[in-house]
Amino acid sequence: MAESEIDYGALLQRALRSVVRVVLERTVCEGLPGEHHFYLSLRTDHPGTQVPPFLRQRFPEEITVVLQHQFRDLTVDDDGFAVTLRFDGMPARLVVPWDAVVAFFDPTAEFGLRFDMPALSGAAAQRSGLAAVPRPVPDVPPERDVAADSAESGEDTDGAKVLSFGRPRDRRSD
């Protein structure tokens, strides 16, 4: 990309990920409000993501975790967040850069965001015909992918408020 070009896809991803950051920062300070809980899908193969070897073996590319009842030591900073969760009764510390977050869903608010990987942002997205990077969260969370313990799973996501930016439509084909 030339220096004079603006990478709107990357700017949009960063701005929308800041929503996730603010929500997690609020959770650190105030705890989970009401019945809210969060499903976060994370790339375990993203540089900088730290997960225990047993989790990396079970989930070599992506994992969806739940922040609800059994999480502790949540920290949030400019680089990402870290949290301790229980997997099969064992505590495990996860350190996650913001760019490794690929989806966020709050079933109580029926709100979700889904992010494409950085390879599809900016010029690459424009070449592929994508208008921007976020896309709808498809039936998040799939129960089989949710790894952390949770009292509730398989929430219905029909009617969820999801910011969606997709392929531009050719109005002539309507």
Side-chain angles (χ1 to χ4, degrees):
M1 175 185 305
E3 255 183 68
S4 63
E5 291 183 36
I6 299 171
D7 188 348
Y8 288 104
L11 291 171
L12 185 57
Q13 265 199 79
R14 190 173 314 124
L16 290 174
R17 279 196 172 100
S18 73
V19 171
V20 177
R21 178 181 176 168
V22 168
V23 168
L24 294 182
E25 286 174 335
R26 180 178 172 186
T27 302
V28 168
C29 295
E30 303 170 14
L32 288 171
E35 297 298 315
H36 290 268
H37 55 286
F38 313 123
Y39 293 92
L40 291 147
S41 294
L42 320 165
R43 293 298 302 200
T44 56
D45 59 355
H46 187 278
T49 300
Q50 298 173 25
V51 297
F54 77 94
L55 283 180
R56 190 172 305 278
Q57 183 178 6
R58 284 175 51 192
F59 304 96
E61 295 177 0
E62 188 172 312
I63 186 172
T64 298
V65 297
V66 182
L67 298 187
Q68 185 174 16
H69 298 296
Q70 298 186 26
F71 74 93
R72 65 173 198 251
D73 303 325
L74 176 63
T75 60
V76 179
D77 63 26
D78 291 341
D79 299 322
F81 71 95
V83 66
T84 301
L85 298 168
R86 297 185 72 77
F87 297 89
D88 298 327
M90 295 176 35
R93 186 81 174 155
L94 282 68
V95 177
V96 183
W98 293 118
D99 286 344
V101 177
V102 294
F104 171 86
F105 182 65
D106 178 347
T108 302
E110 295 182 345
F111 178 82
L113 295 169
R114 176 118 184 124
F115 304 97
D116 287 336
M117 293 305 294
L120 291 178
S121 67
Q126 291 169 0
R127 283 192 301 275
S128 69
L130 297 175
V133 189
R135 64 181 186 226
V137 180
D139 296 328
V140 168
E143 284 185 63
R144 61 180 161 65
D145 290 341
V146 175
D149 293 341
S150 170
E152 300 176 39
S153 62
E155 295 286 338
D156 186 299
T157 60
D158 290 342
K161 298 173 204 156
V162 178
L163 293 178
S164 173
F165 301 87
R167 187 176 304 276
R169 291 176 31 172
D170 183 353
R171 299 236 180 254
R172 293 174 297 202
S173 64
D174 286 341

